[in-house]
Amino acid sequence: MSETAVKTPVDFWFDPLCPWAWMTSRWVLEVEKVRDIEVSWHVMSLAVLNEDKLDELPEEYREMLATKAWGPVRVVIAAQQEHGAQVLGDLYTALGTRIHNRGEGPTKEAVAGALKEVGLPESLLDHWDETPYEAELRASHNEGIEKVGQEVGTPVIAVPGADGEQIAFFGPVVTPAPKGEAAARLWDGTLLVASTPGFYEIKRTRTQGPIFD
């Protein structure tokens, strides 16, 4: 990777609750090592995404959204608003490692540990049950989801296109996260199909869950 190359900005919207977004985020960080890209992190929310269609969801998923989805994203948006967007990458890594890799789940204790790990104040936990930054959370969520439509989830990735317009897509959903040149090949191929006019979807049935290595 050239030291003088202008890096391509990559915008990545995540909800720390989602294990598949976590997988994709680890892949994008691998891509950052082998391609001239620079990732900026943004918050989106599965709770916001699904709040108008709760009746259509399985009861277990509704319960998960009600009890586990709001607290972490409220804390993350508060961290962004009070300490700057530059804290999101390290905070997401600390959160995802605890929630997913260590199996602690999206608990208040896991979030508290992540805040301490990255040097953010524990007082951010005061936003767990409610936050004055709900408008900012919804605005961040909507900025990402409006690029791809309401029929997808997290993550959303957006990159500049050849014509100056952004290319945005959901996913890719992949496990385990590819590394090295495998990560680069997947990136190149994803951009190729995503930038093709009229291209919308490649999909197949998932046969395994996320592998947190």
Side-chain angles (χ1 to χ4, degrees):
M1 187 167 61
S2 170
E3 292 293 330
T4 59
V6 175
K7 294 187 177 182
T8 300
V10 175
D11 292 297
F12 190 109
W13 279 264
F14 69 93
D15 183 327
L17 183 66
C18 180
W20 294 106
W22 173 244
M23 289 276 83
T24 307
S25 74
R26 300 310 93 182
W27 162 68
V28 164
L29 290 180
E30 285 291 317
V31 175
E32 202 172 38
K33 300 174 184 177
V34 292
R35 290 291 184 267
D36 290 314
I37 70 169
E38 185 170 35
V39 183
S40 295
W41 304 94
H42 309 271
V43 186
M44 65 182 297
S45 168
L46 291 171
V48 172
L49 180 67
N50 290 286
E51 64 184 353
D52 293 331
K53 47 189 174 187
L54 291 176
D55 291 344
E56 305 168 19
L57 301 175
E59 182 178 353
E60 182 179 355
Y61 193 66
R62 288 201 307 270
E63 178 68 14
M64 183 272 294
L65 291 175
T67 60
K68 299 179 179 180
W70 284 106
V73 293
R74 285 174 177 145
V75 172
V76 173
I77 198 66
Q80 179 193 36
Q81 291 297 307
E82 296 183 4
H83 299 276
Q86 73 277 0
V87 306
L88 289 184
D90 288 344
L91 179 56
Y92 184 29
T93 291
L95 285 168
T97 300
R98 289 173 178 274
I99 291 171
H100 303 297
N101 292 56
R102 298 183 188 174
E104 297 178 24
T107 63
K108 208 169 186 177
E109 292 75 18
V111 175
L115 291 173
K116 182 177 181 181
E117 182 179 331
V118 299
L120 290 170
E122 188 177 358
S123 59
L124 286 167
L125 287 173
D126 294 343
H127 296 266
W128 186 269
D129 294 313
E130 59 180 353
T131 179
Y133 303 121
E134 182 169 336
E136 288 81 358
L137 171 60
R138 291 176 180 273
S140 180
H141 171 87
N142 288 334
E143 182 185 7
I145 205 68
E146 286 173 0
K147 296 178 185 298
V148 290
Q150 296 290 329
E151 291 77 29
V152 300
T154 177
V156 169
I157 296 175
V159 298
D163 59 359
E165 296 292 326
Q166 275 194 320
I167 300 165
F169 49 90
F170 160 71
V173 175
V174 60
T175 190
K179 296 178 174 60
E181 274 305 307
R185 287 195 300 271
L186 178 57
W187 177 254
D188 295 341
T190 299
L191 293 190
L192 176 63
V193 296
S195 62
T196 300
F199 178 86
Y200 294 107
E201 186 172 5
I202 287 179
K203 191 170 185 179
R204 57 187 172 190
T205 300
R206 300 176 199 172
T207 57
Q208 60 181 348
I211 299 171
F212 307 123
D213 57 0

